[in-house]
Amino acid sequence: RSLSMGVFTLDELAGINHQYGYNIGDKLLRQVGMLISNLVRGEDLSARFSGRRFALVMPETRLVSGEHVAYRIGSVINFTEILEGASDTPIRARVSTGVATLSAGMSAEDLIQAAVANSR
């Protein structure tokens, strides 16, 4: 059986929080999480697992297919804008995306580290 994991890291979140405030940063995080959840299969599991990082666990998915899915989701996120509350200035989320596949002897932490290391 195969299992792949995608990792999405929201770039420049600290700068967005500083420029627009934490409410906008939180709104952006919620929107990114919702996008990921809406773009996956029913058997996939998506979750936020650190301050600016999201994970997508894809059972029965080999590396090439996992890369295709994760990079497609990353592209959708990178082209999504939210409007800042005080003006009509759009804010575009930017994510780095990485993918790895579980292999014999790997722990969950090893899989996460491999996906993060493969981020681009």
Side-chain angles (χ1 to χ4, degrees):
R1 297 180 152 227
S2 56
L3 178 113
S4 291
M5 176 180 215
V7 173
F8 307 93
T9 305
L10 189 57
D11 301 328
E12 302 175 14
L13 181 61
I16 290 169
N17 285 337
H18 179 73
Q19 183 174 355
Y20 298 101
Y22 287 98
N23 287 338
I24 299 301
D26 288 344
K27 184 177 180 180
L28 188 61
L29 285 166
R30 284 192 305 275
Q31 185 170 2
V32 168
M34 199 176 332
L35 280 169
I36 295 169
S37 294
N38 290 333
L39 294 170
V40 300
R41 305 172 300 180
E43 62 268 22
D44 295 337
L45 172 67
S46 64
R48 181 175 170 203
F49 76 93
S50 74
R52 62 187 188 114
R53 192 167 281 155
F54 296 83
L56 173 60
V57 178
M58 300 171 279
E60 303 296 328
T61 306
R62 295 178 191 261
L63 182 61
V64 172
S65 297
E67 287 174 335
H68 178 73
V69 169
Y71 292 125
R72 177 183 52 85
I73 291 171
S75 293
V76 170
I77 294 168
N78 286 335
F79 285 101
T80 299
E81 296 178 338
I82 65 166
L83 292 178
E84 190 271 315
S87 72
D88 291 330
T89 304
I91 300 169
R92 186 167 284 179
R94 296 280 183 223
V95 293
S96 299
T97 305
V99 183
T101 297
L102 187 66
S103 58
M106 284 180 93
S107 67
E109 187 62 35
D110 293 337
L111 181 60
I112 293 168
Q113 289 177 359
V116 170
N118 292 333
S119 290
R120 53 182 168 133

